[in-house]
Amino acid sequence: MPQLTTGEFSLVYNLLSFTLAAMLASFIFFVLSRDSVAPQYRAALVMSSLVVAIAGYHYFRIFNSWNDAYTISNGVFVPSGQLYNDAYRYVDWFLTVPLLIAELIAVMKIPNGKRGALTARLVVAAAAMIALGYPGEIATTTATRAIWGTASTIPFLYIVYELFVGLGPAIQAEVGQPKILLRNIRFLLLGTWGFYPIVFMLPLFLGDVKGATSVVAVQIGYCIADVLAKCGYGLMIYAIARAKTQAEQANAPARAAETVVAGH
Amino acid sequence: MPQLTTGEFSLVYNLLSFTLAAMLASFIFFVLSRDSVAPQYRAALVMSSLVVAIAGYHYFRIFNSWNDAYTISNGVFVPSGQLYNDAYRYVDWFLTVPLLIAELIAVMKIPNGKRGALTARLVVAAAAMIALGYPGEIATTTATRAIWGTASTIPFLYIVYELFVGLGPAIQAEVGQPKILLRNIRFLLLGTWGFYPIVFMLPLFLGDVKGATSVVAVQIGYCIADVLAKCGYGLMIYAIARAKTQAEQANAPARAAETVVAGH
């Protein structure tokens, strides 16, 4: 770990705390908002609350790890000798990324026969993507890093293919606000998830990746990407579930009336 | 950080703990009281509970930071060398101030078409107000502090304008208790939010802002302002939602009766 100025250390410190607070608040929101969506969408909100609870736990650990990894000496933050454990992030992704995929499918119109198999394929791909990235992250040579990074890209590309091609007809079948939101959420997924491989690949392109600027930039990037990909994504899933609930409630009395007329 | 007497240190210490307890109690109250307001006002109570949960988390951190920043030596509290991290307050405001604005709009009579755009504008203004204040807070020169402070005032004035002019007709359209409460809540907002820029500007007017009296006074001021602006404000929002719920329930049977009469 490099030596940091008070400003650099504090920026990461406060951003880690901010992310922890955002996860905590999102957790409370998703738990309290379950009742405002129709029963068939509640599983999606439960998954959103699991994602931010898992991330909140890991940010609590990352915050403490960051704090313990440095000690102040003559107004400068120097490494304390304790390990800054970035591996918490991999554990977090291994648990949360499959859930993020599953909650998207949970708010979409997919025939029950196909839903299970599709969820299973995407969840396995998501878990494989993270598991294959980890050996590269802890590798000591750039060659090993590149090999595992490439292996990890294969399931990532499969997920992107399913999102933009495989799920296309299901999104076309939607109407109004949910259709717009479902189209946009794929770009949020691609944009935020795309950030992680860029950080992963940085050591292959930059010489001084262990410098202060790189370390601070990577931590800031991860925090922002996590807030968008977990809290922001969860809020979009909530908005989709809420819009669908309202549309279904608006149609329900009309349909009931039709039934009465048809019955006569 | 200045040297403090036991009385000065303990006053801040106990007031930070008091504020933490107030946030915790308010959180429990808002969560438990959701069911006593009509479904359309529940989002406002959820937002109130998020605000005090986020603030509770930050007061927990601020309390620990205050405690760690001092050490007792010969009956006097002297700086321990550990940073007292006041930046927690900025992170807190960045998350809570937009929510406070959004919950006010959530209990007002605003056409659904306008509600989304109005909320978005005010939330962005609130976030910009906090974000622009932060570089000034950590600035080392008074000139830089004044520039960012002035920049931060622009979105603040826009919010005040919307509250007192833009939202005027919507408040006029209300009747009875909710109308009085909505008028008053704007003054609570202005009065409590107005305290923060005063503290921000203090270093521009006072010489000895790092003295014991200033440091203690600022912490006391922040605690009182936060209890009023978060717990007190949330209770007023609850009172508005409750009064509206009761008025609507009182009208509902009358309307149902009219429908029956009209049907005959």
Side-chain angles (χ1 to χ4, degrees):
Chain A
M1 299 292 285
Q3 192 174 298
L4 299 177
T5 66
T6 306
E8 286 166 341
F9 176 83
S10 298
L11 184 59
V12 174
Y13 179 93
N14 287 312
L15 208 58
L16 289 171
S17 176
F18 161 81
T19 310
L20 173 49
M23 295 300 166
L24 177 72
S26 302
F27 175 72
I28 297 167
F29 177 78
F30 296 135
V31 169
L32 295 184
S33 302
R34 265 179 315 148
D35 293 349
S36 58
V37 303
Q40 66 267 35
Y41 304 123
R42 276 178 205 159
L45 265 78
V46 169
M47 285 188 266
S48 285
S49 50
L50 296 181
V51 165
V52 292
I54 295 166
Y57 163 76
H58 285 113
Y59 269 92
F60 175 77
R61 292 280 185 209
I62 294 168
F63 176 86
N64 288 344
S65 184
W66 177 259
N67 204 20
D68 293 344
Y70 280 96
T71 182
I72 193 162
S73 165
N74 297 322
V76 182
F77 282 83
V78 292
S80 68
Q82 288 224 46
L83 193 73
Y84 176 56
N85 183 26
D86 232 3
Y88 286 128
R89 298 194 181 277
Y90 274 84
V91 179
D92 178 82
W93 300 332
F94 188 72
L95 290 164
T96 57
V97 169
L99 283 168
L100 289 171
I101 289 279
E103 70 184 87
L104 178 62
I105 299 168
V107 294
M108 289 180 71
K109 269 187 193 150
I110 291 165
N112 276 334
K114 285 188 179 179
R115 190 184 287 275
L118 180 68
T119 307
R121 283 202 308 274
L122 283 168
V123 159
V124 168
M129 176 175 79
I130 307 302
L132 290 169
Y134 182 70
E137 180 64 44
I138 58 162
T140 45
T141 68
T142 19
T144 319
R145 193 177 189 88
I147 291 164
W148 288 107
T150 309
S152 169
T153 308
I154 300 165
F156 176 63
L157 291 177
Y158 168 70
I159 294 168
V160 173
Y161 167 81
E162 280 288 5
L163 284 179
F164 285 84
V165 183
L167 292 175
I171 294 174
Q172 283 304 320
E174 304 278 347
V175 287
Q177 191 68 2
K179 187 175 188 168
I180 300 166
L181 287 166
L182 280 169
R183 271 191 197 148
N184 291 345
I185 205 168
R186 295 184 301 182
F187 291 101
L188 177 68
L189 248 177
L190 192 66
T192 51
W193 292 20
F195 179 80
Y196 304 108
I198 293 169
V199 171
F200 184 91
M201 294 299 177
L202 272 182
L204 303 179
F205 304 114
L206 291 178
D208 187 27
V209 284
K210 294 290 178 194
T213 312
S214 303
V215 166
V216 171
V218 163
Q219 294 304 319
I220 293 172
Y222 276 148
C223 286
I224 295 171
D226 272 341
V227 169
L228 291 175
K230 295 185 168 91
C231 310
Y233 181 87
L235 284 175
M236 279 183 82
I237 291 283
Y238 168 75
I240 292 166
R242 184 94 185 103
K244 285 191 162 193
T245 300
Q246 283 172 330
E248 283 157 22
Q249 279 169 351
N251 288 337
R255 255 192 237 130
E258 276 165 34
T259 316
V260 171
V261 173
H264 272 278
Chain B
M1 300 293 286
Q3 193 175 295
L4 297 177
T5 66
T6 306
E8 286 166 341
F9 176 83
S10 298
L11 183 59
V12 173
Y13 180 92
N14 287 313
L15 207 57
L16 289 171
S17 176
F18 160 81
T19 310
L20 173 48
M23 296 299 166
L24 178 70
S26 302
F27 175 71
I28 297 169
F29 177 77
F30 296 136
V31 169
L32 296 184
S33 303
R34 267 181 315 148
D35 293 349
S36 57
V37 303
Q40 66 266 37
Y41 304 122
R42 275 176 206 159
L45 264 77
V46 168
M47 285 189 266
S48 286
S49 52
L50 296 183
V51 165
V52 291
I54 295 166
Y57 164 76
H58 285 113
Y59 268 92
F60 175 77
R61 292 279 188 209
I62 294 169
F63 176 86
N64 288 342
S65 185
W66 178 259
N67 203 21
D68 292 344
Y70 279 96
T71 181
I72 194 160
S73 165
N74 297 323
V76 181
F77 281 84
V78 292
S80 68
Q82 288 228 47
L83 196 73
Y84 176 57
N85 185 26
D86 233 3
Y88 285 128
R89 298 195 181 276
Y90 274 84
V91 177
D92 177 81
W93 299 332
F94 188 73
L95 289 164
T96 57
V97 169
L99 284 168
L100 290 171
I101 289 279
E103 70 183 87
L104 178 62
I105 299 169
V107 293
M108 290 180 72
K109 269 188 194 149
I110 292 165
N112 275 333
K114 285 188 179 177
R115 191 183 287 274
L118 180 69
T119 306
R121 283 203 307 275
L122 282 169
V123 160
V124 168
M129 176 175 79
I130 307 301
L132 290 170
Y134 182 70
E137 181 64 44
I138 59 162
T140 45
T141 69
T142 19
T144 318
R145 193 178 189 87
I147 291 165
W148 288 106
T150 310
S152 169
T153 308
I154 300 166
F156 176 62
L157 291 178
Y158 168 71
I159 294 168
V160 173
Y161 167 81
E162 281 287 6
L163 284 179
F164 285 83
V165 183
L167 292 175
I171 294 175
Q172 284 304 320
E174 303 278 350
V175 287
Q177 191 69 2
K179 187 175 188 169
I180 300 166
L181 286 166
L182 280 169
R183 273 189 196 150
N184 292 345
I185 206 169
R186 296 184 301 181
F187 291 101
L188 177 68
L189 247 176
L190 192 65
T192 51
W193 291 20
F195 178 79
Y196 303 108
I198 293 170
V199 171
F200 183 91
M201 292 299 176
L202 272 183
L204 303 178
F205 305 113
L206 291 177
D208 187 26
V209 285
K210 295 288 178 195
T213 312
S214 302
V215 166
V216 171
V218 163
Q219 295 304 321
I220 293 171
Y222 276 148
C223 287
I224 295 171
D226 272 340
V227 169
L228 290 174
K230 294 186 168 92
C231 310
Y233 181 88
L235 285 175
M236 280 183 82
I237 291 282
Y238 168 74
I240 293 166
R242 184 90 188 106
K244 286 190 161 192
T245 300
Q246 283 173 330
E248 283 157 22
Q249 279 169 351
N251 287 338
R255 254 192 237 129
E258 275 165 36
T259 316
V260 171
V261 172
H264 272 277

